[in-house]
Amino acid sequence: MSYDPSPSYPYRPPDPPASYDPYTYETYPWAPQEAPEPAGRRPQRHVALGHHSDLRVLRSAYRWQRRVATLTALGYFVLFLILSAFAPSFMTSTVTDGLPVGLLLALVQVPVTWLAVALYEQTARRRVDPIADRIRKHAELDAKREGAR
């Protein structure tokens, strides 16, 4: 909601306080106050796991993996549907005696689906799993460091 400075709208919202102190409560003095952090705490030398750049790399690798597998399987299926709808004479033509092209392309859908699954597994082993293993090792090291404190 914004303030309308025109004279037809005479109400002006109150200005926010000049400085905000989170440890003072004007309205509720009995509310619990947060204790400030102790001054003797060591600064963290390494980046926490949640802010690690490997997580972004893992997400992009996984996204690429899903796109390859999905486009392989769905792309072939959409091609089959488009040919069925817009090229019926091509789909009813025969490859050999009694085997129409449409039936052959429908039967090829099963190996294409297997190919999509194989591509998904291969990209997982090649691109996604090494990054996930590296993140897992970093997380174990971080847990050990936190446990030693």
Side-chain angles (χ1 to χ4, degrees):
M1 192 163 119
S2 64
Y3 170 68
D4 184 12
S6 66
S8 64
Y9 190 75
Y11 175 73
R12 180 183 167 123
D15 292 332
S19 66
Y20 174 71
D21 185 9
Y23 300 110
T24 60
Y25 296 92
E26 295 176 11
T27 318
Y28 305 107
W30 57 85
Q33 297 181 2
E34 294 180 16
E37 295 246 350
R41 189 170 180 187
R42 300 187 290 183
Q44 201 171 7
R45 280 188 268 180
H46 53 80
V47 179
L49 182 64
H51 303 290
H52 209 277
S53 65
D54 280 346
L55 290 175
R56 284 191 297 271
V57 173
L58 179 64
R59 280 193 300 266
S60 66
Y62 184 59
R63 193 177 307 122
W64 187 84
Q65 175 193 20
R66 287 184 314 215
R67 285 180 186 158
V68 166
T70 303
L71 289 177
T72 302
L74 288 181
Y76 182 82
F77 185 69
V78 167
L79 175 71
F80 176 75
L81 290 177
I82 289 172
L83 287 175
S84 296
F86 296 109
S89 60
F90 172 72
M91 296 296 273
T92 56
S93 63
T94 58
V95 177
T96 61
D97 287 333
L99 182 63
V101 173
L103 181 61
L104 181 66
L105 290 177
L107 293 173
V108 170
Q109 181 67 40
V110 173
V112 167
T113 304
W114 289 341
L115 176 70
V117 170
L119 279 173
Y120 190 84
E121 289 178 358
Q122 180 191 19
T123 55
R125 275 190 236 109
R126 244 186 11 180
R127 296 177 185 249
V128 178
D129 288 347
I131 299 169
D133 290 339
R134 186 171 57 228
I135 291 173
R136 192 175 298 116
K137 287 177 187 174
H138 284 297
E140 289 172 359
L141 287 174
D142 285 345
K144 287 179 184 176
R145 287 183 189 136
E146 289 295 322
R149 285 187 185 181

